[in-house]
Amino acid sequence: MTHTYEPNLLDPAIMADLRGEFGRLRDQSSLWRGWAMDGTPAWYVTGAAEVRTVLSDPRFATRRTPAPGEEDPLIKNLAALGIPEDLTVHVTGMLINFSGAEHSRLRKLVSSAFTARRVTDLRPRIEEITGKLLDGIEAAAAGPDPVDLIESFAYPVPIAVICELVGVPESDRPAWREWGDGLVSMTPDRTPDALRSMVEQVKALVDRRRAEPADDLITALLRAQAEDGDRLSDDELVTLVINIVFAGHETTAHQIGNSIAALLTHPDQLDLLRREPDRWPAAVHELVRLWTPFPISPLRYALEDVELGGFTIAAGEAVQPVLISANTDPACHSDPDRFDVGRRDGERGGGNLGFGHGIHYCLGAPLARMETEIALSALFRRFPELTLATEPHWAPHPLMVRLGQLLVHPHPHP
């Protein structure tokens, strides 16, 4: 089977409608030969079963070993972004870039911060943080201007939670939003500076925690390092902290923002949740399914020839798993493009892939779901007549579904 169309994430039509464009491709074929963002050939995998295979099969790795004499493709891409050599270790050392024993070693070091019990114990604090932010929105609502819920709510909730968990002081937290935005911009004029700022701040925090231990993740990592220095290098420690703080707020912030917009533009579903608030946990699964901020998983590379979806992926070839088309695959969900807060996640044996799958399944997924549930239910309970001031606008981006602004009127507005 061959296709004449070759998808490219930088195609404006695809960026403007990731779910629709990749859904249409999936309905024709589960694999498409196209182009990665760096201009190299790549297989786009759009079907749910095939995406699950790529994300869980050890024949696919998150990093390709360069051939003799070939420049490492990840290092090459980082150089194109302007990332200086001394900072590359803090990107190549991210959890997503490891598989096997190395991945297990690093993941185990941070997994204790995200146990079911630890996440449950955070609920009262998340509710407290959310309540204070809603008080601020209430005060702002007294003025004539609309309130931006991205700025005043969607970002502050997860930043406060993950920074408390990790050990980032409150005074340093506002900078993480700016740095996170710079990192995901994927531009030479912003990304290197954002990464350097993150590295410098975390190094300072690590030095502080060496002198003044506390009940936080940085101290726990330092303790593990002291017990067995071979288990965790200084660079690995800094990279893990950046990984957790960045992923722990950037993804959840946009999930909250996307979810608010989705509910305000689907009033029938919001009304159902108001009448039956016990549905909120299931509703979050449905919101992640359709409005996950990261609709595309990082590239994988075939370690050997693999037969998949009627095609042969040759050893060394790049594979781009498309989560958003897998999440709307009719093979897994009936009427898959319909937003239904009463839907049972994984009604046909496969839950949604908004947090990934396999060994790289998002470590903080339970925390992110709980934060989203608490934030949404509290917001709509406090402001039962919340309305949009302007229609939501998702800016085209090849790797993210996110809102720059979400302007609302918390109370009826003339």
Side-chain angles (χ1 to χ4, degrees), residues 18 217 263 336 345 358 398:
L18 288 167
L217 180 62
L263 288 165
D345 188 52

Side-chain angles (χ1 to χ4, degrees), residues 142-178:
D145 297 326
V147 176
D148 179 8
L149 288 184
I150 301 298
E151 181 72 30
S152 62
F153 191 64
Y155 260 103
V157 171
I159 285 179
V161 173
I162 200 65
C163 285
E164 284 191 13
L165 189 66
V166 171
V168 177
E170 187 171 357
S171 59
D172 294 336
R173 294 170 194 171
W176 277 91
R177 178 184 175 182
E178 180 181 347

